[in-house]
């Protein structure tokens, strides 16, 4: 806070004359700055040596001296900001910007995006909210799920444009003919972020800790035990075949931290700062796969930057911004896509709400035009026409069954579901049904007591790199299903999923899973509502950015040309993917 105090004191000196020369005594300045006269003389001497002002004193106590200013507080703030940023002290930069939040965008834009700091390429990303701690297991936020893949490694890993898992900590794996025994062969040169060598026993210990989590225990229900059968081999013994096992181990929730420190990983980036206002990642020099091209990634938590006139939702897209305010037009969309993930509506069917009534609700949602007219800005969403590519919505029969006089809807984030809930409430009222709306202020169903009694449920389903498998994981692990379905229906669902996972061929498993999802939609238990439009915008000179399944980009592939070369750059990456 020393720089903040110096700037505050300079502001107090400046204000009475708005920068014009002042005839003033040391005593008056000391009173203005709430300090002793001796300390005031020290402050003036330091400011004069820094070139901020001139102090021409006259001999004799009480004599007035001339105070002349050479810089304004705004110019001084910008100068100090640039100084600390170039000196790799961004924590001081954020302290400086807190003095004048209304000027935050003006001050920060020249330092966001791609920068070379001490000959190391650094990418700064403005972000609209503080990140939640990223630890092994399930995490709720899209940004946190993506971050888990940058900080931690798994036995296997998904890579861009490939729905099949690839080697990570394990370089190969084999399974027995009956699919019961799986051997994962561990790389011989692996290191944690603190430089310690990774031992296979540590990976086994962390896997055992993960299996203690109830949701992950459901996901890995087929696993009987995990043994270290060789110094570089982990062996899984299963109760029954599960050919999704390499997919389960590649999921973000199965990434492995040190067994004694859940924040210590071995991924391509290591966590060096985690604060509400800033998160910093630095490349892991001993990472076992292709090394990142950037030295550091920083999230600057700056909600003030996300205002409506910027044309960017502060809730979903990831935006990288750089340049003076007058140069914001240089930003251009690098990559856009429609998310495979979706917001959904699920309906509990029982004596209170029948299947024909549930089908009428689904039919109303998709044929009334409600999803096309939601009052949301910026083309943030697009109505869903299929749950997955090749899995369209069913055509429910025309229904006219009266709805019950009262129903309850429970929903969680994202914020767009506030609008959807209000639309449903109004539509149900026109049908003679009073819809009670309950908002669970979270990104998942953890801790939601009302879920067990809800008639209708809305939430958000993120889709990872392997869409069919991601939904299989959802049906197995989410607390939604045992609470929404009857015990018999839930057990039948799990039995069907077990049958699907017995198929060695991926195509057969995907087909079987789509059949499960098609049945849930046909029976009006589940329907997607809308998908999000993902977009990343960046200035010329920030390269290697391609949207991934989370609406983010692989940090290991991003790169910056050196400043002298980058000044003239602005074209497409040579040899980059389209």
């Amino acid at each position: 806070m020393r720089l903040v105090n110096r700037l505050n004191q300079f502001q107090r000196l400046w204000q009475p004359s708005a920068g014009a020369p002042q005839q003033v005594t040391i005593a008056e300045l000391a009173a203005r700055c709430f300090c002793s006269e001796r300390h005031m003389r020290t402050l003036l001497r330091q400011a004069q040596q820094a070139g901020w002002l001139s102090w021409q004193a006259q001999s004799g106590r009480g004599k007035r001296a001339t105070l002349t200013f050479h810089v304004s507080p705004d110019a001084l703030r910008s100068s100090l900001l640039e100084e600390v940023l170039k000196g790799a002290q961004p924590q001081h930069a954020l302290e400086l910007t807190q003095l004048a939040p209304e000027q935050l965008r003006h001050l920060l834009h020249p330092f966001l995006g791609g920068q070379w700091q001490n000959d190391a390429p650094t990418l700064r990303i403005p972000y609209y909210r503080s990140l939640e701690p990223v630890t092994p297991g399930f995490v709720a936020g899209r940004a946190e799920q993506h971050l888990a893949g940058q900080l931690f490694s798994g036995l296997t890993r998904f890579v861009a444009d490939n729905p099949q898992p690839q080697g990570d900590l394990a370089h190969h794996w084999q399974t027995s003919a009956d699919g019961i025994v799986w051997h994962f062969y561990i790389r011989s040169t692996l290191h944690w972020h603190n430089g310690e060598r990774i031992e296979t026993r540590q990976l086994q210990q962390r896997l055992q800790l993960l299996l203690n989590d109830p949701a992950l225990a459901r996901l890995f229900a087929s696993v009987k035990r995990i043994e270290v059968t060789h110094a570089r081999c982990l062996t899984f013994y299963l109760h029954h075949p599960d050919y999704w096992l390499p997919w389960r181990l590649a999921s973000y929730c199965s990434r492995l931290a040190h067994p004694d420190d859940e924040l210590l990983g071995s991924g391509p980036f290591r966590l060096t700062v985690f604060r509400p206002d800033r998160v910093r990642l630095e490349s892991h020099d001993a990472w076992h796969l292709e090394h990142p091209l950037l030295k550091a990634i920083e999230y600057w938590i700056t909600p003030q930057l996300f205002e409506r006139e910027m044309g960017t939702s502060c809730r979903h897209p990831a935006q990288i911004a750089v340049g003076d305010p007058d140069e914001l037009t240089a930003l251009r969309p690098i990559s856009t896509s429609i998310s495979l993930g979706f917001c959904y509506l699920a309906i509990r069917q029982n004596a209170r709400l029948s299947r024909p009534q549930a089908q009428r609700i689904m039919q109303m949602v998709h044929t009334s035009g409600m999803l096309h007219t939601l009052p949301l800005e910026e083309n943030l969403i697009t109505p869903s026409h299929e749950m997955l590519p090749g899995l369209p919505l069913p055509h429910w029969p025309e229904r006219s069954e009266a709805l019950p006089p009262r129903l309850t809807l429970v929903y969680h984030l994202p914020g767009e579901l506030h609008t959807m809930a209000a639309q449903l409430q109004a539509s149900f009222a026109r049908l003679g049904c009073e819809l009670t709306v309950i908002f669970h202020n979270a990104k998942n169903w953890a801790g939601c007591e009302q879920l067990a009694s809800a008639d209708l449920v809305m939430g958000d389903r993120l889709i990872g790199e392997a869409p069919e498998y991601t939904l299989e994981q959802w049906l197995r692990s989410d607390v939604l299903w045992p609470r929404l379905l009857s015990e018999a229906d839930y057990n039948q669902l799990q039995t069907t999923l077990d049958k699907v996972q017995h198929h060695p061929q991926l195509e057969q498993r995907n087909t079987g899973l789509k059949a499960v999802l098609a049945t849930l939609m046909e029976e009006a238990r589940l329907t997607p509502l809308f998908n999000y439009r993902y977009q990343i915008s960046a200035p010329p000179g920030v390269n290697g950015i391609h949207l991934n399944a989370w609406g983010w980009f692989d940090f290991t592939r991003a790169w910056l040309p050196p400043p002298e070369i980058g000044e003239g750059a602005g074209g497409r990456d040579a040899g980059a993917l389209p």
Side-chain angles (χ1 to χ4, degrees):
M1 295 297 290
R2 183 179 178 185
L3 288 177
V4 175
N5 291 334
R6 291 174 66 187
L7 190 52
N8 272 331
Q9 290 160 342
F10 185 83
Q11 186 102 20
R12 294 189 187 102
L13 298 177
W14 167 281
Q15 282 176 340
S17 65
Q22 300 176 18
Q23 301 295 317
V24 65
T25 67
I26 281 287
E28 291 170 341
L29 293 180
R32 197 184 299 173
C33 292
F34 308 104
C35 64
S36 67
E37 294 184 21
R38 179 179 179 182
H39 185 57
M40 190 68 247
R41 288 190 177 90
T42 300
L43 293 177
L44 289 172
R45 183 174 64 256
Q46 292 174 344
Q48 187 161 273
Q49 290 173 347
W52 301 351
L53 51 77
S54 296
W55 171 252
Q56 295 178 328
Q58 296 187 39
S59 58
R61 184 173 181 81
K63 294 286 187 178
R64 292 188 174 273
T66 301
L67 181 63
T68 305
F69 297 93
H70 303 313
V71 295
S72 68
D74 286 345
L76 179 56
R77 185 185 295 110
S78 296
S79 175
L80 291 174
L81 185 62
E82 183 174 3
E83 176 184 330
V84 296
L85 284 170
K86 290 182 177 179
Q89 298 174 300
Q91 68 277 8
H92 296 318
L94 291 178
E95 291 170 358
L96 287 169
T97 60
Q98 290 169 5
L99 290 175
E102 73 281 356
Q103 298 180 5
L104 183 62
R105 187 185 313 165
H106 171 75
L107 291 171
L108 288 188
H109 267 306
F111 306 104
L112 295 172
Q115 297 283 323
W116 281 74
Q117 299 295 323
N118 298 325
D119 293 328
T122 300
L123 192 62
R124 294 195 179 99
I125 303 172
Y127 202 57
Y128 73 99
R129 64 170 174 85
S130 296
L131 295 175
E132 297 175 7
V134 177
T135 55
F138 286 106
V139 293
R142 180 165 58 91
E144 285 81 0
Q145 291 180 9
H146 167 69
L147 189 56
Q150 308 298 309
L151 296 177
F152 301 105
S153 302
L155 292 185
T156 57
R157 171 180 288 267
F158 290 116
V159 298
D161 305 319
N162 191 337
Q164 301 217 33
Q166 307 297 305
D168 194 351
L169 295 173
H171 55 84
H172 287 86
W173 57 92
Q174 292 178 332
T175 184
S176 59
D178 58 5
I180 296 296
V181 181
W182 291 73
H183 301 291
F184 289 85
Y185 302 108
I186 309 302
R187 298 178 191 272
S188 58
T189 55
L190 297 172
H191 293 84
W192 299 109
H193 288 159
N194 63 359
E196 175 189 332
R197 284 178 59 87
I198 295 178
E199 301 297 335
T200 305
R201 179 73 63 185
Q202 293 174 318
L203 303 181
Q204 180 209 31
Q205 291 171 346
R206 174 51 68 178
L207 283 165
Q208 295 289 359
L209 291 172
L210 287 179
L211 296 184
N212 292 335
D213 178 270
L216 282 165
R218 291 192 293 270
L219 185 63
F220 289 95
S222 61
V223 176
K224 181 188 299 183
R225 66 183 186 277
I226 306 171
E227 294 184 2
V228 178
T229 49
H230 182 271
R232 290 296 161 187
C233 182
L234 267 179
T235 300
F236 287 68
Y237 297 91
L238 308 185
H239 296 287
H240 47 77
D242 182 4
Y243 287 94
W244 286 122
L245 184 60
W247 277 257
R248 301 195 196 287
L249 294 170
S251 174
Y252 79 90
C253 62
S254 303
R255 300 292 169 85
L256 302 177
H258 193 286
D260 300 324
D261 185 352
E262 63 181 9
L263 297 179
L264 182 60
S266 61
F269 287 89
R270 58 190 180 92
L271 189 65
T272 59
V273 176
F274 192 90
R275 298 185 349 194
D277 57 359
R278 188 172 68 96
V279 173
R280 179 177 171 88
L281 318 178
E282 294 183 3
S283 60
H284 177 32
D285 293 338
W287 196 44
H288 48 278
L289 299 179
E290 184 177 356
H291 283 198
L293 304 176
L294 293 172
K295 176 60 179 176
I297 302 281
E298 291 185 350
Y299 296 78
W300 283 37
I301 314 304
T302 50
Q304 302 94 322
L305 288 179
F306 292 86
E307 298 176 1
R308 294 192 178 191
E309 61 263 32
M310 289 190 70
T312 301
S313 168
C314 67
R315 293 161 295 196
H316 298 283
Q319 181 184 25
I320 301 170
V322 66
D324 295 325
D326 294 339
E327 297 174 350
L328 289 180
T329 55
L331 290 175
R332 81 281 193 207
I334 292 292
S335 190
T336 61
S337 70
I338 301 297
S339 70
L340 289 179
F342 49 81
C343 284
Y344 63 85
L345 171 67
I347 299 180
R348 181 193 311 278
Q349 297 177 20
N350 49 29
R352 174 182 171 88
L353 187 60
S354 68
R355 180 166 300 168
Q357 291 171 318
Q359 288 177 330
R360 183 182 185 188
I361 293 172
M362 297 291 194
Q363 186 183 61
M364 175 193 71
V365 167
H366 286 288
T367 62
S368 65
M370 178 190 309
L371 296 174
H372 294 270
T373 58
L374 287 176
L376 298 173
E377 301 176 1
E378 307 161 13
N379 294 318
L380 183 62
I381 65 170
T382 182
S384 300
H385 300 290
E386 55 185 6
M387 180 167 285
L388 288 176
L391 185 58
L393 301 180
H395 295 287
W396 295 283
E398 291 289 336
R399 294 290 186 184
S400 58
E401 286 81 2
L403 298 182
R406 294 180 181 81
L407 291 172
T408 299
L409 166 68
V410 177
Y411 70 100
H412 64 59
L413 292 168
E416 287 72 35
L417 291 181
H418 293 311
T419 304
M420 186 69 197
Q423 294 284 74
L424 286 174
Q425 195 171 41
S427 297
F428 276 50
R430 289 192 290 269
L431 297 175
C433 175
E434 179 183 347
L435 184 65
T436 299
V437 172
I438 300 173
F439 172 53
H440 177 57
N441 189 14
K443 298 172 186 173
N444 56 30
W445 295 116
C448 181
E449 298 179 357
Q450 298 90 346
L451 180 61
S453 58
D455 300 300
L456 288 83
V457 171
M458 289 195 304
D460 186 23
R461 183 67 258 153
L462 295 172
I463 297 292
E465 295 89 339
E468 289 83 2
Y469 166 71
T470 301
L471 291 180
E472 197 272 355
Q473 178 173 292
W474 181 39
L475 297 176
R476 279 205 181 273
S477 302
D478 201 301
V479 297
L480 168 68
W481 301 107
R483 301 195 184 174
L484 187 74
L485 301 176
S486 68
E487 183 178 357
D489 287 341
Y490 178 72
N491 290 337
Q492 179 59 42
L493 173 63
Q494 300 306 311
T495 298
T496 304
L497 294 177
D498 286 344
K499 292 179 180 178
V500 170
Q501 75 181 27
H502 290 178
H503 293 297
Q505 298 301 318
L506 175 60
E507 184 177 354
Q508 290 178 293
R509 294 200 302 279
N510 286 345
T511 299
L513 186 62
K514 285 184 176 180
V516 173
L517 296 167
T519 299
L520 290 173
M521 289 197 294
E522 186 66 39
E523 294 178 349
R525 298 182 187 273
L526 173 69
T527 188
L529 297 172
F530 49 79
N531 305 79
Y532 286 105
R533 300 178 187 272
Y534 289 156
Q535 176 175 308
I536 293 181
S537 299
V542 179
N543 302 294
I545 292 179
H546 308 277
L547 269 169
N548 62 15
W550 309 109
W552 281 81
F553 60 96
D554 187 347
F555 290 167
T556 66
R557 299 175 64 188
W559 62 279
L560 305 171
E564 296 78 10
I565 300 173
E567 290 175 359
R572 193 178 187 86
D573 299 358
L577 295 174

